[in-house]
Amino acid sequence: MRTIRVETSTATILLTEAPEPKVRDRQTGEVAKDAVSGEALMKVGVVYIDEGESALIHVTVPESGVTEGLALGSPVSLPGLVARPWESVFNGQQRHGIAYRAAAVTAGAMAGAGA
């Protein structure tokens, strides 16, 4: 499916869940890896606020993209944020959603980000 770049220059993004390994298989606890680099993947929870609306989202980032100084409730930047629509059938049930991925999660807002 198509990957859609997410414009973050006017958004306020606040960390709501600390980075933790993204689990590929819940039964075995296997950590998800990047298909190209093989690097372990992490997930973070953020609230994305823009134009008077907000959404709680989980964003996948490579382990090397998780920077020091992240504090719950503080502004963060998500360089290279993209959204990818997905759908699948699980136990006979049709499921769909949007997966978010960024190159990194860094402390502080990006230059030009709105408050």
Side-chain angles (χ1 to χ4, degrees):
M1 294 213 159
R2 178 164 167 73
T3 298
I4 304 160
R5 189 173 15 186
V6 178
E7 175 58 54
T8 60
S9 64
T10 61
T12 298
I13 305 169
L14 304 173
L15 187 67
T16 59
E17 294 177 30
E20 62 182 40
K22 182 174 181 174
V23 176
R24 179 175 184 264
D25 184 329
R26 290 182 187 154
Q27 291 181 335
T28 65
E30 178 185 359
V31 174
K33 306 257 186 213
D34 182 270
V36 176
S37 70
E39 183 175 3
L41 297 174
M42 306 290 283
K43 73 172 184 170
V44 296
V46 299
V47 62
Y48 183 95
I49 307 165
D50 196 17
E51 296 183 6
E53 295 191 19
S54 65
L56 291 168
I57 61 173
H58 285 106
V59 180
T60 300
V61 296
E63 189 172 37
S64 64
V66 176
T67 62
E68 296 292 322
L70 299 175
L72 292 180
S74 66
V76 293
S77 295
L78 296 168
L81 182 63
V82 295
R84 180 174 303 175
W86 62 269
E87 61 181 51
S88 67
V89 176
F90 183 74
N91 288 337
Q93 299 272 335
Q94 182 77 23
R95 299 180 56 169
H96 57 87
I98 299 173
Y100 295 93
R101 179 128 182 204
V105 55
T106 62
M110 290 174 22

XYZ file of all heavy atoms in Angstrom:
832
model
N 0.837 -1.189 0.000
C 0.000 0.000 0.000
C 0.875 1.243 0.000
O 2.040 1.203 0.337
C -0.905 0.017 1.222
C -1.931 -1.059 1.254
S -3.387 -0.421 2.076
C -4.567 -1.563 1.427
N 0.259 2.337 -0.318
C 0.950 3.609 -0.431
C 1.346 4.152 0.937
O 0.625 4.038 1.909
C 0.022 4.606 -1.120
C 0.613 5.975 -1.245
C -0.158 6.801 -2.255
N 0.178 8.194 -2.200
C 1.307 8.720 -2.625
N 2.253 7.948 -3.110
N 1.521 10.010 -2.564
N 2.524 4.775 0.984
C 2.994 5.461 2.180
C 2.725 6.944 1.998
O 3.030 7.505 0.950
C 4.505 5.222 2.383
O 4.710 3.826 2.570
C 5.028 5.957 3.581
N 2.161 7.580 3.013
C 1.783 8.990 2.948
C 2.616 9.774 3.951
O 2.608 9.463 5.146
C 0.279 9.163 3.269
C -0.553 8.297 2.319
C -0.125 10.622 3.206
C -1.942 8.013 2.818
N 3.333 10.780 3.468
C 4.139 11.609 4.366
C 3.207 12.475 5.212
O 2.249 13.054 4.720
C 5.078 12.488 3.551
C 6.069 13.209 4.409
C 7.104 13.941 3.637
N 6.754 14.087 2.227
C 7.540 14.593 1.321
N 8.730 15.006 1.649
N 7.157 14.703 0.069
N 3.501 12.575 6.504
C 2.693 13.363 7.425
C 3.411 14.684 7.701
O 4.555 14.684 8.154
C 2.445 12.603 8.756
C 1.641 13.463 9.722
C 1.753 11.274 8.489
N 2.755 15.783 7.420
C 3.311 17.119 7.650
C 3.212 17.427 9.145
O 2.135 17.408 9.723
C 2.524 18.150 6.845
C 2.929 19.577 7.084
C 4.400 19.838 6.794
O 4.856 19.526 5.685
O 5.079 20.337 7.702
N 4.343 17.687 9.779
C 4.359 17.913 11.225
C 4.771 19.337 11.604
O 4.817 19.654 12.784
C 5.326 16.939 11.919
O 6.646 17.141 11.401
C 4.903 15.496 11.717
N 5.037 20.208 10.634
C 5.603 21.524 10.950
C 4.671 22.413 11.775
O 5.147 23.272 12.515
C 6.030 22.248 9.674
O 4.907 22.516 8.859
N 3.361 22.215 11.685
C 2.430 23.042 12.459
C 1.835 22.295 13.648
O 1.025 22.839 14.383
C 1.278 23.557 11.571
O 0.554 22.436 11.059
C 1.801 24.415 10.428
N 2.238 21.047 13.840
C 1.654 20.210 14.890
C 2.428 20.306 16.200
O 3.617 20.599 16.221
C 1.625 18.761 14.432
N 1.711 20.044 17.271
C 2.323 19.838 18.581
C 2.233 18.352 18.849
O 1.158 17.758 18.748
C 1.578 20.622 19.674
O 1.659 22.007 19.378
C 2.173 20.352 21.044
N 3.357 17.727 19.165
C 3.394 16.286 19.405
C 3.964 16.069 20.799
O 5.067 16.512 21.103
C 4.258 15.576 18.350
C 3.762 15.918 16.938
C 4.249 14.069 18.586
C 4.689 15.482 15.822
N 3.182 15.398 21.656
C 3.585 15.165 23.041
C 3.720 13.675 23.299
O 2.872 12.882 22.883
C 2.541 15.748 23.996
C 2.220 17.236 23.827
C 1.055 17.631 24.728
C 3.440 18.076 24.103
N 4.771 13.293 24.009
C 5.016 11.891 24.333
C 4.042 11.422 25.413
O 3.964 12.021 26.484
C 6.460 11.714 24.816
C 6.921 10.282 25.029
C 6.996 9.530 23.702
C 8.275 10.267 25.720
N 3.296 10.349 25.136
C 2.344 9.813 26.111
C 2.722 8.425 26.605
O 2.243 7.996 27.651
C 0.917 9.748 25.527
O 0.934 8.909 24.363
C 0.404 11.132 25.176
N 3.555 7.699 25.848
C 4.016 6.374 26.254
C 5.494 6.258 25.921
O 5.900 6.522 24.792
C 3.252 5.273 25.515
C 1.781 5.200 25.874
C 1.050 4.130 25.066
O 1.683 3.123 24.681
O -0.140 4.322 24.817
N 6.280 5.855 26.899
C 7.722 5.715 26.716
C 8.034 4.665 25.644
O 7.258 3.729 25.446
C 8.371 5.320 28.033
N 9.170 4.802 24.978
C 9.555 3.810 23.972
C 9.682 2.418 24.593
O 10.187 2.261 25.701
C 10.933 4.298 23.497
C 10.981 5.739 23.857
C 10.151 5.888 25.089
N 9.193 1.424 23.862
C 9.320 0.030 24.276
C 9.461 -0.820 23.022
O 9.038 -0.409 21.942
C 8.136 -0.423 25.112
C 6.814 -0.387 24.394
C 5.661 -0.802 25.293
O 5.641 -0.411 26.469
O 4.783 -1.530 24.802
N 10.072 -1.994 23.138
C 10.237 -2.837 21.961
C 8.881 -3.166 21.326
O 7.903 -3.436 22.037
C 10.906 -4.096 22.500
C 11.585 -3.650 23.751
C 10.691 -2.577 24.329
N 8.842 -3.146 20.006
C 7.636 -3.536 19.280
C 7.651 -5.055 19.158
O 8.605 -5.633 18.656
C 7.597 -2.885 17.900
C 6.348 -3.223 17.133
C 6.265 -2.464 15.842
C 4.960 -2.835 15.145
N 4.744 -2.029 13.960
N 6.610 -5.706 19.634
C 6.547 -7.163 19.653
C 5.925 -7.658 18.346
O 4.861 -7.206 17.944
C 5.737 -7.661 20.866
C 5.591 -9.165 20.846
C 6.396 -7.199 22.158
N 6.629 -8.570 17.701
C 6.148 -9.148 16.441
C 5.206 -10.309 16.721
O 4.208 -10.494 16.071
C 7.326 -9.630 15.605
C 6.928 -10.261 14.292
C 8.170 -10.604 13.464
N 7.791 -11.105 12.184
C 7.691 -12.388 11.881
N 7.959 -13.300 12.794
N 7.338 -12.770 10.675
N 5.554 -11.137 17.707
C 4.777 -12.323 18.040
C 4.505 -12.312 19.546
O 5.421 -12.510 20.338
C 5.555 -13.578 17.633
C 4.771 -14.860 17.850
O 3.938 -14.922 18.786
O 5.003 -15.817 17.091
N 3.270 -12.087 19.927
C 2.922 -11.997 21.349
C 3.138 -13.304 22.090
O 3.421 -13.305 23.285
C 1.477 -11.539 21.502
C 1.272 -10.111 21.101
C -0.154 -9.683 21.324
N -0.353 -8.356 20.776
C -1.496 -7.892 20.365
N -2.582 -8.647 20.445
N -1.596 -6.670 19.881
N 2.988 -14.430 21.412
C 3.152 -15.723 22.078
C 4.605 -16.001 22.444
O 4.891 -16.542 23.500
C 2.597 -16.849 21.210
C 1.086 -16.801 21.098
C 0.543 -17.942 20.255
O 1.235 -18.485 19.402
N -0.707 -18.294 20.498
N 5.525 -15.631 21.555
C 6.941 -15.904 21.807
C 7.684 -14.701 22.369
O 8.790 -14.835 22.873
C 7.656 -16.333 20.516
O 7.658 -15.235 19.595
C 6.983 -17.542 19.888
N 7.085 -13.507 22.244
C 7.756 -12.292 22.695
C 8.791 -11.779 21.706
O 9.557 -10.869 22.025
N 8.808 -12.353 20.489
C 9.778 -11.949 19.472
C 9.622 -10.461 19.142
O 8.523 -9.984 18.895
C 9.585 -12.772 18.206
C 10.518 -12.401 17.088
C 10.216 -13.150 15.796
O 9.284 -13.982 15.777
O 10.909 -12.884 14.814
N 10.755 -9.740 19.156
C 10.758 -8.312 18.844
C 10.765 -8.125 17.332
O 11.478 -8.827 16.610
C 11.986 -7.621 19.483
C 12.095 -6.176 19.057
C 11.913 -7.729 20.994
N 9.965 -7.172 16.850
C 9.904 -6.872 15.423
C 11.220 -6.263 14.960
O 11.861 -5.517 15.701
C 8.755 -5.912 15.136
N 11.607 -6.598 13.736
C 12.844 -6.084 13.145
C 12.516 -5.405 11.823
O 11.576 -5.792 11.135
C 13.828 -7.225 12.877
C 14.113 -8.089 14.074
C 15.427 -7.771 14.661
C 15.743 -8.764 15.775
N 16.472 -8.221 16.817
N 13.323 -4.403 11.464
C 13.176 -3.738 10.174
C 13.484 -4.745 9.073
O 14.493 -5.457 9.141
C 14.126 -2.541 10.091
C 13.962 -1.801 8.793
O 14.669 -2.161 7.830
O 13.146 -0.876 8.731
N 12.636 -4.801 8.056
C 12.795 -5.782 6.987
C 14.071 -5.567 6.183
O 14.638 -6.525 5.662
C 11.587 -5.731 6.058
N 14.551 -4.334 6.085
C 15.736 -4.044 5.290
C 17.014 -4.117 6.125
O 17.958 -4.819 5.778
C 15.613 -2.655 4.613
C 16.883 -2.295 3.867
C 14.410 -2.618 3.679
N 17.033 -3.406 7.250
C 18.269 -3.306 8.043
C 18.416 -4.398 9.101
O 19.512 -4.650 9.583
C 18.338 -1.947 8.744
O 17.358 -1.883 9.773
N 17.303 -5.018 9.486
C 17.345 -6.021 10.551
C 17.397 -5.417 11.940
O 17.467 -6.136 12.938
N 17.348 -4.086 12.033
C 17.413 -3.399 13.326
C 16.116 -3.598 14.104
O 15.029 -3.622 13.535
C 17.645 -1.903 13.097
C 17.797 -1.125 14.373
C 18.148 0.341 14.133
O 18.229 0.791 12.985
O 18.326 1.032 15.144
N 16.236 -3.733 15.423
C 15.069 -3.860 16.288
C 14.210 -2.604 16.189
O 14.719 -1.490 16.042
C 15.500 -4.079 17.731
N 12.892 -2.795 16.266
C 11.952 -1.677 16.190
C 11.356 -1.393 17.560
O 11.136 -2.301 18.355
C 10.839 -1.986 15.185
C 11.293 -2.174 13.735
C 10.127 -2.617 12.871
C 11.920 -0.893 13.205
N 11.099 -0.122 17.805
C 10.491 0.339 19.045
C 9.166 1.009 18.700
O 8.950 1.438 17.567
C 11.403 1.354 19.733
C 12.825 0.861 19.974
S 12.916 -0.404 21.226
C 12.742 0.584 22.707
N 8.283 1.121 19.702
C 7.052 1.894 19.491
C 6.927 2.914 20.611
O 7.349 2.671 21.745
C 5.824 1.005 19.397
C 5.369 0.408 20.691
C 4.040 -0.299 20.530
C 3.571 -0.788 21.882
N 2.224 -1.276 21.886
N 6.378 4.065 20.257
C 6.116 5.125 21.225
C 4.683 5.592 21.037
O 4.131 5.523 19.939
C 7.084 6.330 21.068
C 8.508 5.931 21.347
C 6.964 6.968 19.711
N 4.081 6.058 22.112
C 2.750 6.637 22.043
C 2.859 8.143 22.115
O 3.632 8.681 22.916
N 2.119 8.822 21.244
C 2.123 10.280 21.236
C 0.705 10.789 21.040
O -0.163 10.084 20.532
C 3.029 10.869 20.116
C 4.473 10.446 20.298
C 2.535 10.503 18.728
N 0.489 12.025 21.454
C -0.730 12.727 21.068
C -0.289 13.745 20.023
O 0.666 14.491 20.219
C -1.476 13.380 22.262
C -0.646 14.429 22.958
C -2.801 13.962 21.811
N -0.960 13.706 18.881
C -0.657 14.560 17.741
C -1.749 15.625 17.681
O -2.922 15.290 17.493
C -0.647 13.707 16.463
C -0.266 14.450 15.216
C 1.038 14.442 14.762
C -1.207 15.153 14.477
C 1.403 15.107 13.608
C -0.855 15.831 13.328
C 0.450 15.799 12.893
O 0.804 16.470 11.758
N -1.373 16.889 17.888
C -2.344 17.981 17.949
C -2.069 18.938 16.794
O -0.952 19.450 16.652
C -2.236 18.747 19.283
C -2.332 17.779 20.464
C -3.294 19.848 19.354
C -1.889 18.370 21.790
N -3.089 19.176 15.964
C -2.936 20.088 14.835
C -4.301 20.632 14.449
O -5.286 19.889 14.400
C -2.300 19.365 13.651
C -1.763 20.311 12.591
O -1.576 21.504 12.881
O -1.517 19.841 11.460
N -4.344 21.927 14.192
C -5.560 22.616 13.751
C -6.753 22.327 14.659
O -7.866 22.075 14.203
C -5.874 22.258 12.302
C -4.799 22.730 11.345
C -5.114 22.455 9.887
O -6.230 21.983 9.579
O -4.239 22.735 9.057
N -6.520 22.337 15.972
C -7.600 22.181 16.938
C -8.088 20.763 17.145
O -9.045 20.542 17.871
N -7.457 19.793 16.510
C -7.847 18.401 16.681
C -6.663 17.605 17.210
O -5.509 17.953 16.973
C -8.323 17.815 15.351
C -9.594 18.478 14.860
C -10.210 17.725 13.696
O -9.891 16.538 13.497
O -11.019 18.329 12.998
N -6.966 16.514 17.930
C -5.887 15.684 18.469
C -6.199 14.215 18.226
O -7.354 13.818 18.076
C -5.703 15.938 19.962
O -6.857 15.532 20.668
N -5.135 13.421 18.185
C -5.271 11.979 18.033
C -4.150 11.306 18.813
O -3.008 11.778 18.798
C -5.188 11.586 16.564
N -4.490 10.224 19.500
C -3.484 9.389 20.161
C -3.037 8.354 19.144
O -3.863 7.628 18.583
C -4.077 8.686 21.373
C -4.430 9.592 22.545
C -5.275 8.835 23.556
C -3.178 10.122 23.195
N -1.734 8.286 18.881
C -1.227 7.328 17.906
C 0.021 6.630 18.444
O 0.700 7.157 19.323
C -0.910 7.983 16.542
C 0.175 9.064 16.666
C -2.169 8.564 15.914
C 0.648 9.637 15.335
N 0.286 5.442 17.916
C 1.530 4.724 18.196
C 2.395 4.844 16.953
O 1.911 4.682 15.834
C 1.266 3.252 18.517
C 0.698 3.063 19.868
N -0.617 2.739 20.087
C 1.262 3.175 21.092
C -0.838 2.660 21.386
N 0.297 2.913 22.019
N 3.669 5.131 17.163
C 4.608 5.320 16.066
C 5.758 4.336 16.229
O 6.312 4.196 17.323
C 5.145 6.768 16.046
C 6.118 6.977 14.895
C 3.994 7.775 15.965
N 6.106 3.655 15.149
C 7.240 2.733 15.143
C 8.486 3.490 14.718
O 8.447 4.257 13.748
C 6.972 1.573 14.161
O 5.797 0.881 14.589
C 8.149 0.611 14.110
N 9.576 3.294 15.453
C 10.871 3.914 15.120
C 11.961 2.866 15.299
O 11.833 1.960 16.124
C 11.182 5.153 15.994
C 10.187 6.265 15.757
C 11.227 4.802 17.455
N 13.046 2.986 14.527
C 14.162 2.060 14.750
C 14.791 2.341 16.111
O 14.778 3.474 16.594
C 15.129 2.370 13.605
C 14.746 3.702 13.096
C 13.308 3.919 13.441
N 15.338 1.305 16.720
C 15.933 1.446 18.054
C 16.987 2.557 18.094
O 17.057 3.317 19.052
C 16.544 0.112 18.478
C 17.002 0.087 19.914
C 17.414 -1.306 20.351
O 17.998 -2.059 19.539
O 17.149 -1.647 21.507
N 17.778 2.683 17.037
C 18.809 3.724 16.997
C 18.227 5.128 16.882
O 18.920 6.111 17.128
C 19.772 3.480 15.826
O 19.066 3.587 14.588
N 16.940 5.243 16.544
C 16.300 6.548 16.409
C 15.679 7.066 17.692
O 15.118 8.156 17.732
N 15.752 6.281 18.767
C 15.222 6.711 20.071
C 16.332 7.484 20.766
O 17.372 6.928 21.096
C 14.763 5.512 20.916
C 14.302 5.974 22.290
C 13.662 4.747 20.196
N 16.110 8.768 20.992
C 17.156 9.606 21.573
C 16.989 9.757 23.076
O 15.933 9.472 23.639
C 17.159 11.008 20.917
O 15.902 11.634 21.183
C 17.383 10.912 19.423
N 18.035 10.226 23.717
C 18.031 10.484 25.165
C 17.181 11.722 25.449
O 16.939 12.542 24.577
C 19.457 10.729 25.649
C 20.374 9.534 25.488
C 20.006 8.384 26.406
O 19.613 8.627 27.560
O 20.098 7.228 25.950
N 16.759 11.848 26.701
C 16.058 13.051 27.139
C 14.565 13.051 26.894
O 13.922 14.093 27.012
N 13.978 11.907 26.562
C 12.531 11.835 26.342
C 11.823 11.765 27.692
O 12.192 10.952 28.535
C 12.176 10.611 25.502
C 12.769 10.547 24.101
C 12.417 9.209 23.441
C 12.286 11.707 23.247
N 10.831 12.624 27.887
C 10.073 12.638 29.143
C 8.586 12.638 28.821
O 8.135 13.363 27.930
C 10.434 13.875 29.958
N 7.831 11.807 29.542
C 6.386 11.745 29.327
C 5.764 13.131 29.462
O 6.109 13.885 30.372
C 5.738 10.786 30.309
C 6.076 9.310 30.116
C 5.369 8.464 31.166
C 5.701 8.836 28.729
N 4.881 13.464 28.543
C 4.190 14.750 28.561
C 4.943 15.863 27.863
O 4.404 16.941 27.663
N 6.184 15.607 27.486
C 6.984 16.663 26.859
C 6.861 16.617 25.340
O 6.526 15.590 24.750
C 8.451 16.529 27.273
O 8.983 15.341 26.739
N 7.143 17.760 24.688
C 7.095 17.801 23.222
C 8.203 16.939 22.620
O 9.313 16.873 23.158
C 7.330 19.269 22.875
C 7.329 20.023 24.148
C 7.464 19.057 25.266
N 7.879 16.280 21.516
C 8.856 15.495 20.766
C 8.714 15.812 19.284
O 7.702 16.361 18.842
C 8.689 13.974 20.988
C 9.013 13.583 22.413
C 7.309 13.498 20.590
N 9.735 15.446 18.543
C 9.709 15.546 17.087
C 9.763 14.144 16.514
O 10.381 13.244 17.096
C 10.916 16.336 16.588
O 10.837 17.664 17.029
N 9.122 13.967 15.361
C 9.105 12.686 14.664
C 9.563 12.911 13.223
O 8.749 12.956 12.301
C 7.701 12.080 14.694
C 7.155 11.717 16.068
C 5.667 11.405 15.988
C 7.923 10.542 16.652
N 10.869 13.088 13.014
C 11.341 13.334 11.654
C 11.014 12.161 10.732
O 11.112 11.004 11.131
C 12.855 13.508 11.820
C 13.192 12.977 13.163
C 11.953 13.029 13.990
N 10.584 12.496 9.518
C 10.277 11.465 8.529
C 9.002 10.700 8.807
O 8.837 9.573 8.336
N 8.058 11.297 9.545
C 6.813 10.604 9.895
C 5.987 10.295 8.640
O 5.732 11.166 7.824
C 5.985 11.444 10.869
C 4.675 10.829 11.354
C 4.920 9.547 12.139
C 3.904 11.833 12.204
N 5.606 9.021 8.507
C 4.744 8.591 7.405
C 3.605 7.745 7.963
O 3.701 7.171 9.043
C 5.511 7.783 6.331
C 6.545 8.646 5.628
C 6.148 6.542 6.917
N 2.517 7.704 7.205
C 1.358 6.885 7.550
C 1.147 5.881 6.427
O 1.322 6.208 5.255
C 0.118 7.766 7.699
N 0.793 4.661 6.812
C 0.556 3.617 5.820
C -0.757 2.907 6.165
O -0.841 2.224 7.193
C 1.695 2.619 5.825
C 1.494 1.494 4.808
C 2.684 0.606 4.720
N 3.810 1.467 4.384
C 5.060 1.057 4.318
N 5.358 -0.173 4.562
N 6.021 1.886 4.012
N -1.793 3.055 5.316
C -3.036 2.314 5.549
C -2.781 0.811 5.414
O -1.948 0.390 4.616
C -3.962 2.798 4.430
C -3.325 4.031 3.886
C -1.863 3.911 4.147
N -3.475 0.011 6.226
C -3.336 -1.439 6.153
C -4.681 -2.108 6.368
O -5.607 -1.496 6.917
C -2.327 -1.965 7.186
C -2.725 -1.693 8.608
C -2.400 -0.599 9.345
C -3.554 -2.501 9.448
N -2.959 -0.679 10.591
C -3.680 -1.855 10.674
C -4.200 -3.715 9.271
C -4.433 -2.368 11.732
C -4.947 -4.237 10.328
C -5.046 -3.567 11.532
N -4.783 -3.336 5.907
C -5.961 -4.153 6.183
C -5.561 -5.616 6.151
O -4.605 -5.997 5.468
C -7.089 -3.874 5.205
C -6.789 -4.148 3.762
C -7.969 -3.806 2.860
O -8.493 -2.690 2.964
O -8.340 -4.681 2.056
N -6.279 -6.415 6.942
C -5.997 -7.844 7.004
C -7.225 -8.570 7.530
O -8.167 -7.953 8.014
C -4.790 -8.130 7.902
O -5.103 -7.815 9.240
N -7.177 -9.877 7.426
C -8.227 -10.714 7.995
C -7.586 -11.515 9.125
O -6.563 -12.166 8.931
C -8.830 -11.652 6.931
C -9.855 -12.573 7.564
C -9.444 -10.844 5.799
N -8.162 -11.410 10.332
C -7.647 -12.116 11.499
C -8.805 -12.859 12.148
O -9.808 -12.244 12.518
C -7.010 -11.122 12.477
C -6.391 -11.772 13.675
C -5.200 -12.457 13.567
C -7.018 -11.709 14.914
C -4.620 -13.063 14.674
C -6.455 -12.306 16.024
C -5.250 -12.985 15.901
N -8.685 -14.177 12.257
C -9.763 -15.015 12.810
C -11.093 -14.755 12.113
O -12.138 -14.663 12.750
C -9.916 -14.800 14.317
C -8.788 -15.404 15.107
O -8.120 -16.322 14.652
N -8.571 -14.890 16.300
N -11.031 -14.600 10.795
C -12.243 -14.390 10.011
C -12.802 -12.982 10.076
O -13.834 -12.696 9.478
N -12.151 -12.097 10.793
C -12.618 -10.717 10.948
C -11.771 -9.783 10.085
O -10.543 -9.834 10.144
C -12.506 -10.267 12.403
C -13.324 -11.063 13.369
C -14.724 -10.527 13.506
O -14.971 -9.356 13.263
N -15.649 -11.374 13.876
N -12.420 -8.949 9.305
C -11.717 -7.940 8.513
C -11.269 -6.820 9.456
O -12.063 -6.314 10.245
C -12.654 -7.358 7.447
C -12.019 -6.337 6.544
C -11.136 -6.967 5.483
O -11.294 -8.118 5.134
N -10.208 -6.204 4.975
N -9.969 -6.477 9.394
C -9.415 -5.412 10.231
C -8.695 -4.427 9.341
O -8.171 -4.799 8.295
C -8.452 -5.991 11.261
C -9.137 -6.974 12.213
C -8.204 -7.521 13.210
N -7.597 -6.396 13.928
C -6.873 -6.493 15.008
N -6.626 -7.682 15.511
N -6.353 -5.459 15.601
N -8.655 -3.176 9.776
C -7.946 -2.158 9.002
C -7.523 -1.039 9.933
O -8.021 -0.913 11.055
C -8.826 -1.617 7.871
C -10.123 -1.048 8.357
N -10.265 0.245 8.763
C -11.336 -1.632 8.530
C -11.507 0.457 9.145
N -12.180 -0.668 9.022
N -6.577 -0.244 9.478
C -6.100 0.864 10.293
C -5.010 1.629 9.567
O -4.830 1.484 8.353
N -4.294 2.422 10.329
C -3.185 3.206 9.792
C -1.980 2.946 10.682
O -2.061 3.074 11.905
C -3.513 4.708 9.780
C -4.727 4.970 8.897
C -2.307 5.514 9.288
C -5.245 6.399 8.952
N -0.866 2.564 10.071
C 0.387 2.360 10.795
C 1.257 3.592 10.586
O 1.356 4.105 9.468
C 1.097 1.114 10.274
N 1.877 4.071 11.664
C 2.745 5.250 11.594
C 4.177 4.829 11.844
O 4.451 3.999 12.698
C 2.328 6.284 12.645
C 0.962 6.853 12.392
C -0.170 6.284 12.976
C 0.789 7.958 11.573
C -1.430 6.804 12.743
C -0.471 8.479 11.329
C -1.575 7.897 11.915
O -2.820 8.404 11.682
N 5.092 5.451 11.090
C 6.514 5.149 11.243
C 7.307 6.433 11.075
O 6.964 7.283 10.265
C 6.939 4.128 10.186
C 8.407 3.783 10.255
C 8.619 2.333 10.312
N 10.037 2.047 10.416
C 10.588 0.930 10.043
N 9.851 -0.014 9.526
N 11.872 0.736 10.188
N 8.367 6.580 11.866
C 9.247 7.744 11.779
C 10.693 7.270 11.826
O 10.988 6.166 12.297
C 8.973 8.717 12.921
N 11.586 8.117 11.351
C 13.008 7.798 11.366
C 13.558 7.850 12.786
O 14.526 7.166 13.104
C 13.773 8.763 10.471
N 12.927 8.695 13.639
C 13.423 8.873 15.011
C 12.334 9.514 15.853
O 11.333 10.022 15.335
C 14.667 9.747 15.018
N 12.558 9.491 17.166
C 11.763 10.288 18.093
C 12.789 11.059 18.931
O 13.670 10.459 19.546
C 10.810 9.437 18.970
C 11.538 8.352 19.735
C 9.990 10.313 19.908
N 12.686 12.375 18.884
C 13.664 13.220 19.555
C 12.974 14.171 20.513
O 11.849 14.582 20.287
C 14.486 14.031 18.522
O 13.603 14.886 17.799
C 15.220 13.120 17.564
N 13.678 14.527 21.587
C 13.131 15.452 22.580
C 13.024 16.842 21.973
O 13.882 17.260 21.194
C 14.012 15.483 23.810
N 11.952 17.564 22.329
C 11.755 18.932 21.852
C 11.045 18.974 20.536
O 11.026 18.016 19.779
N 10.431 20.124 20.277
C 9.688 20.316 19.032
C 10.641 20.711 17.918
O 11.660 21.330 18.156
C 8.625 21.403 19.223
N 10.277 20.340 16.700
C 11.072 20.737 15.542
C 10.919 22.240 15.334
O 9.908 22.824 15.697
C 10.592 19.991 14.285
C 10.945 18.535 14.343
S 10.342 17.436 13.056
C 9.978 18.370 11.668
N 11.906 22.869 14.741
C 11.854 24.305 14.452
C 10.618 24.601 13.622
O 10.327 23.910 12.655
C 13.113 24.736 13.720
N 9.883 25.605 14.011
C 8.699 26.008 13.281
C 7.440 25.299 13.709
O 6.370 25.571 13.198
N 7.516 24.355 14.647
C 6.333 23.644 15.096
C 5.490 24.568 15.964
O 5.995 25.353 16.744
C 6.712 22.392 15.885
N 4.185 24.458 15.790
C 3.261 25.291 16.558
C 3.084 24.756 17.957
O 3.325 23.601 18.240
N 2.629 25.627 18.847
C 2.402 25.197 20.230
C 0.940 25.236 20.556
O 0.162 25.805 19.921
C 3.159 26.092 21.184
